Amino acid sequence: MVGGFRWAAMFPDEVWEHVFSFLPADADRNAAALVCRAWYRIERRSRWRVFVGNCYAVEPAAAVRRFPEVRAAAIKGKPHFADFNLVPSDWGGGAEAWVEAMVEGWPHLEELRLKRMVVSDDCLELIARCFKNFKVLSLVSCEGFSTAGLAAIAANCRNLRELDLHENEVEDNCLHWMSHFPESFASLVTLNIACLEERLVGLLHRVPQLVDLGTGKFAAQHHPELFSKLESAIAGCKNLKSLSGFWEAGPTYLPAIYSVCEGLTSLNLSYATIQGPELIKLISWCKNLQRLWVMDLIEDDGLIAVAASCKLLQELRVFPSDPYGAAQPISLTEHGLVAISAGCPMLHSVLYFCRQMTNAALLTVAKNCPNFTCFRLCIMEPHTPDYITRQPLDAGFSAIVESCKHLRRLSLSGLLTDLVFKSIGASANCLEMLSVAFAGDGDAGLHYILSGCKNLRKLEIRDCPFGDKPLLDNAAKLETMRSLWMSSCSVTLGACRQLARKMPLLNVEVINERKRGLPLELQPDNCPVEKLYIYRTVAGPRSDTPSCVWILR
Amino acid sequence: MEDHDNLKATELTLGLPGTDAIEKPTTAAPNVNKRSKEEEEEEECCGFTGSSGRPAAKAQVVGWPPVRSYRMNSFRERKMEKKEEDTTGIYVKVSMDGAPYLRKVDLGVYNSYEDLTDALEAMFKGFSLGKRIIQRQAHDLHESEHAITYEDKDGDWMLVGDVPWEMFVSSCKRLRIMKGCEARGLTSSP
């Protein structure tokens, strides 16, 4: 600190602000703010973008007070496993507290992105009324609002550039909410309403400058005249780069989008029940595709075709068309994944649902793609071994983490022992998020992860034989992470109590949905914990916990 | 594959018959390991754990596979819409004790036991005396005139209502609306 005051005063604040504007990452700005009080003061007044990875990590008012000039905010609520119904529906993640604080302290807010939060129509109305220069609204995996709330946004936000509403639970009570958009809507560039039925064609004519279009449900095959209108409307959107939608079977209307295929960089067909041959035909037009989301109906043959046509592909997601395996088996295997890894040199992000895998295939993928940043493999049957050798898939996943030095996100599946965790702990130095299910032999597995993986931020575990010891031995690690989720493991209440006492900056949330016997305060230490959610926070215990959640202190 | 099914049929489990339940224990490590070994043995017998061997309505582990509930809901909706479009249908004969002729119903058009019971009541209204003809739950047997039973794939007569709806639809071969007094012998409650 000696001399800190002197040299900070060498330049006027504006110069430092300008310098700080070149710091792209929040981590860098956070570091700058720690140098001296002057820099703290200058930095906080010039930060205009904040990301709050856990809405309960800080009080909304505190965040708004510290950064008064924010124009863009992104906030996340529920833990990731809420997507799969593992988190009670009343757990929390309400957006009101944040929206109220933002309306109060950030009247010039232009951009708001919420993920996994409960957003009411009142919130949407507040946003529509209070932020005069509002440009971007993105609600992903949210719930609690209806199309009436959206109508308020459409009617009041005249400068709206981006409206992204994908995968929300929206109550559709206002049929013509989109008619509230202005007649000539020259500002809208991104429209993703892939959760609602709507009148697409009329809208497209009003927004020909659209770059990103996500449609809701429509069954064009029943309306041939609608098809030709759709074709001309889409062709009119000359800037279209990204397309997604709920497209039912019936390849007859796919040609409607051929005209824009060559310009597409992003295509989401994961809600479309188009079969392999039609998919291949469509994708063969999309030579510039960087991101492709499809159903496993594409099969290995389709992926081989993708590997041949889409040389710029960076991200691939293959979703299961039939998660419970009741229908005919689909021919999507490890071969498709290997083909893509071999044919697409820029591939760095994969999400792949399949039913079989081998260590050999994973080793090949690891060798072909050392640049992976995100690798999520879901073999749908828990504990599935290498189907040829019958061995666990430790070797395969170990090869991935050892080869892919920039891996930031990893999801494991299949039969796995503690060995894979040893490799991950030792090699995955950039790993920020790890998802584990039905894996491991015992405490050692969790210990390897928590004592290694120096950049780990989010860890989510379900149905693994991990217990108290690795948690207590690595308590300090938990404060360096955003959050830890453990469900159906072997953690006891006693360990959670100890952890909570030892680490005041953590909220240790115990979730017990089966309300039988004594309340949690009176349960003995050896009482098993169903679900555990631990996160670091400077806000202390939250006040909106439902009856099934206890925050231990 | 067939031998394996027979072995499974004699196995003592707490799961419902016809399910490959992976019931989650909430406690300690040993249970989880044991389960994985059982499943390994299963895999040894079947070879690859493919989907074709499993019955249509497999009991599911909560939140697995990790597909967003939003996506799952759209699958379910699509399956229901597809069912409406399907012309084949799942027609089964329905007989009622005392009625002179049988009827046929398409199980595919109903989504729940409630729907089915309402439809059957409407169909057979002319033939019964009481207001509530058909039992809705096992304990209603003592109050209602008739009970709905069905013949399953094994040829056994079962009381309708015990198993999940989808499982019932996939295993039901025919329906019989029998007199309450006769049906009381079939109830599963102690």
Side-chain angles (χ1 to χ4, degrees):
Chain A
M1 271 296 219
V2 173
F5 179 76
R6 264 207 329 261
W7 60 274
M10 270 166 70
F11 300 110
D13 289 359
E14 293 76 24
V15 173
W16 289 121
E17 279 178 29
H18 184 67
V19 170
F20 294 155
S21 70
F22 291 100
L23 296 174
D26 281 350
D28 298 324
R29 293 194 77 116
N30 292 345
L34 291 175
V35 167
C36 62
R37 266 186 268 234
W39 277 23
Y40 176 90
R41 177 178 46 82
I42 297 164
E43 192 282 317
R44 65 176 274 260
R45 292 201 157 280
S46 61
R47 192 182 305 211
W48 60 271
R49 179 180 285 279
V50 287
F51 169 70
V52 182
N54 174 4
C55 64
Y56 293 118
V58 61
E59 288 287 353
V64 168
R65 227 178 9 248
R66 172 152 177 202
F67 302 113
E69 301 301 325
V70 166
R71 297 273 186 272
I75 308 170
K76 292 188 176 179
K78 301 186 190 184
H80 176 232
F81 274 176
D83 284 352
F84 318 129
N85 294 329
L86 288 178
V87 177
S89 54
D90 56 354
W91 174 84
E96 314 75 52
W98 278 95
V99 173
E100 280 163 14
M102 292 189 287
V103 155
E104 181 74 34
W106 294 337
H108 305 293
L109 192 75
E110 294 175 8
E111 187 178 312
L112 183 60
R113 298 178 189 274
L114 303 178
K115 187 167 185 182
R116 266 180 232 110
M117 296 194 77
V118 180
V119 183
S120 62
D121 281 343
D122 285 344
C123 281
L124 291 178
E125 271 154 42
L126 255 185
I127 292 167
R129 269 204 332 262
C130 302
F131 298 128
K132 298 295 173 209
N133 204 23
F134 202 61
K135 296 201 170 98
V136 171
L137 180 65
S138 169
L139 302 175
V140 177
S141 292
C142 294
E143 55 177 318
F145 62 100
S146 72
T147 38
L150 294 177
I153 298 282
N156 292 299
C157 303
R158 299 279 119 167
N159 294 315
L160 202 64
R161 200 183 68 219
E162 185 179 327
L163 181 60
D164 184 350
L165 304 166
H166 70 270
E167 293 180 0
N168 299 300
E169 298 291 343
V170 187
E171 199 199 319
D172 209 341
N173 56 8
C174 178
L175 274 180
H176 301 289
W177 70 274
M178 288 191 13
S179 62
H180 292 263
F181 280 132
E183 258 313 309
S184 157
F185 204 177
S187 60
L188 196 68
V189 160
T190 295
L191 179 65
N192 189 337
I193 41 184
C195 52
L196 302 162
E197 288 192 43
E198 92 295 356
R199 301 187 173 287
L200 181 63
V201 175
L203 177 71
L204 285 182
H205 281 300
R206 280 194 271 181
V207 288
Q209 72 286 355
L210 220 53
V211 171
D212 185 337
L213 173 64
T215 72
K217 274 188 255 186
F218 72 95
Q221 72 269 25
H222 297 309
H223 304 282
E225 73 280 9
L226 183 60
F227 165 79
S228 59
K229 280 195 198 148
L230 183 66
E231 184 180 24
S232 69
I234 289 184
C237 297
K238 303 246 176 283
N239 296 327
L240 212 57
K241 289 251 166 302
S242 173
L243 206 52
S244 64
F246 277 83
W247 298 338
E248 291 306 304
T252 47
Y253 65 88
L254 278 186
I257 66 165
Y258 285 172
S259 58
V260 291
C261 280
E262 194 161 334
L264 288 182
T265 56
S266 169
L267 184 59
N268 179 356
L269 298 170
S270 64
Y271 289 101
T273 52
I274 310 172
Q275 300 293 325
E278 279 77 37
L279 267 179
I280 295 174
K281 198 156 163 215
L282 176 64
I283 292 171
S284 64
W285 290 95
C286 307
K287 298 256 183 288
N288 291 307
L289 223 48
Q290 293 171 18
R291 180 166 67 177
L292 176 63
W293 293 18
V294 279
M295 295 258 244
D296 57 6
L297 302 168
I298 195 171
E299 300 194 326
D300 288 337
D301 286 342
L303 289 177
I304 291 169
V306 169
S309 344
C310 306
K311 292 302 181 186
L312 301 179
L313 195 68
Q314 297 179 23
E315 178 184 326
L316 174 71
R317 295 193 193 187
V318 180
F319 293 94
S321 55
D322 190 12
Y324 300 128
Q328 286 291 98
I330 302 259
S331 179
L332 179 99
T333 68
E334 75 278 14
H335 296 117
L337 182 60
V338 170
I340 291 280
S341 75
C344 302
M346 305 185 64
L347 189 70
H348 66 82
S349 174
V350 165
L351 169 63
Y352 200 78
F353 282 83
C354 60
R355 296 190 185 279
Q356 66 184 57
M357 190 48 59
T358 63
N359 282 309
L362 287 174
L363 258 84
T364 307
V365 168
K367 197 162 61 96
N368 291 340
C369 298
N371 294 321
F372 270 159
T373 53
C374 170
F375 186 70
R376 295 191 280 164
L377 179 65
C378 179
I379 304 164
M380 287 194 270
E381 190 64 35
H383 307 116
T384 304
D386 177 321
Y387 75 95
I388 293 179
T389 66
R390 314 304 297 164
Q391 291 301 302
L393 290 170
D394 297 334
F397 279 105
S398 298
I400 295 278
V401 294
E402 282 156 21
S403 165
C404 306
K405 309 237 183 283
H406 307 288
L407 196 67
R408 293 202 295 266
R409 186 168 178 184
L410 177 65
S411 296
L412 306 172
S413 59
L415 182 65
L416 296 165
T417 72
D418 285 343
L419 286 176
V420 73
F421 298 111
K422 192 169 182 190
S423 304
I424 296 173
S427 305
N429 294 319
C430 290
L431 195 66
E432 295 176 3
M433 181 168 177
L434 178 65
S435 308
V436 187
F438 305 102
D441 303 318
D443 287 347
L446 181 55
H447 179 72
Y448 286 132
I449 298 296
L450 291 178
S451 58
C453 297
K454 53 187 166 83
N455 281 306
L456 195 64
R457 289 195 199 161
K458 289 192 286 185
L459 180 58
E460 47 184 29
I461 302 173
R462 62 164 294 175
D463 293 273
C464 295
F466 301 146
D468 299 337
K469 192 167 185 322
L471 270 186
L472 292 171
D473 288 348
N474 294 285
K477 171 78 168 180
L478 298 177
E479 239 181 53
T480 68
M481 293 165 51
R482 185 190 300 171
S483 66
L484 166 67
W485 169 278
M486 287 179 76
S487 56
S488 304
C489 296
S490 309
V491 181
T492 66
L493 191 53
C496 296
R497 286 173 172 147
Q498 258 186 283
L499 200 58
R501 274 197 302 271
K502 202 168 156 182
M503 312 291 300
L505 287 177
L506 295 180
N507 275 357
V508 177
E509 292 195 7
V510 170
I511 300 169
N512 242 10
E513 289 168 280
R514 297 170 207 207
K515 303 200 186 105
R516 43 154 194 254
L518 305 165
L520 210 81
E521 300 84 54
L522 304 175
Q523 294 271 17
D525 278 349
N526 63 2
C527 172
V529 165
E530 277 169 38
K531 298 179 183 179
L532 176 62
Y533 186 50
I534 301 176
Y535 53 91
R536 67 178 175 187
T537 177
V538 293
R542 58 189 175 108
S543 51
D544 60 352
T545 47
S547 54
C548 59
V549 176
W550 282 266
I551 304 187
L552 303 178
R553 299 305 301 170
Chain B
M1 193 61 133
E2 276 180 17
D3 282 341
H4 171 65
D5 274 348
N6 282 336
L7 271 177
K8 276 189 66 177
T10 58
E11 201 179 78
L12 284 177
T13 73
L14 291 177
L16 296 168
T19 67
D20 300 295
I22 311 176
E23 294 300 335
K24 291 189 291 118
T26 49
T27 50
N31 282 344
V32 180
N33 279 333
K34 209 189 333 171
R35 186 172 74 230
S36 79
K37 287 208 181 76
E38 274 169 11
E39 271 171 88
E40 269 188 62
E41 283 163 21
E42 248 181 58
E43 284 153 21
E44 292 300 319
C45 294
C46 305
F48 144 60
T49 48
S51 51
S52 43
R54 309 248 181 224
K58 177 177 170 178
Q60 290 133 22
V61 177
V62 173
W64 192 265
V67 175
R68 274 192 186 163
S69 42
Y70 180 73
R71 202 175 277 276
M72 288 297 210
N73 292 339
S74 71
F75 286 145
R76 229 170 277 137
E77 273 176 39
R78 217 102 54 90
K79 278 210 160 85
M80 297 217 288
E81 282 167 20
K82 213 172 162 235
K83 242 193 283 182
E84 283 156 23
E85 291 168 18
D86 265 348
T87 47
T88 47
I90 313 167
Y91 282 94
V92 298
K93 285 187 194 169
V94 190
S95 62
M96 174 153 155
D97 292 358
Y101 51 79
L102 278 63
R103 300 293 301 270
K104 263 204 159 164
V105 285
D106 176 3
L107 292 179
V109 309
Y110 306 111
N111 297 319
S112 67
Y113 289 117
E114 283 282 311
D115 290 349
L116 176 64
T117 315
D118 287 340
L120 292 177
E121 278 194 355
M123 222 181 244
F124 288 97
K125 215 184 334 203
F127 302 116
S128 99
L129 305 165
K131 212 171 45 155
R132 190 168 64 196
I133 315 167
I134 299 170
Q135 113 288 353
R136 299 214 172 242
Q137 319 214 38
H139 63 254
D140 281 350
L141 272 183
H142 301 286
E143 292 172 10
S144 55
E145 286 280 326
H146 295 84
I148 318 182
T149 62
Y150 70 103
E151 183 183 4
D152 74 358
K153 286 193 169 114
D154 299 326
D156 295 321
W157 284 94
M158 318 283 293
L159 189 67
V160 160
D162 286 335
V163 301
W165 172 255
E166 285 87 1
M167 193 184 300
F168 161 71
V169 169
S170 64
S171 55
C172 171
K173 304 267 289 296
R174 57 183 295 165
L175 288 162
R176 177 181 162 201
I177 304 176
M178 58 169 69
K179 285 207 159 37
C181 46
E182 216 185 307
R184 283 188 252 291
L186 275 178
T187 179
S188 57
S189 44

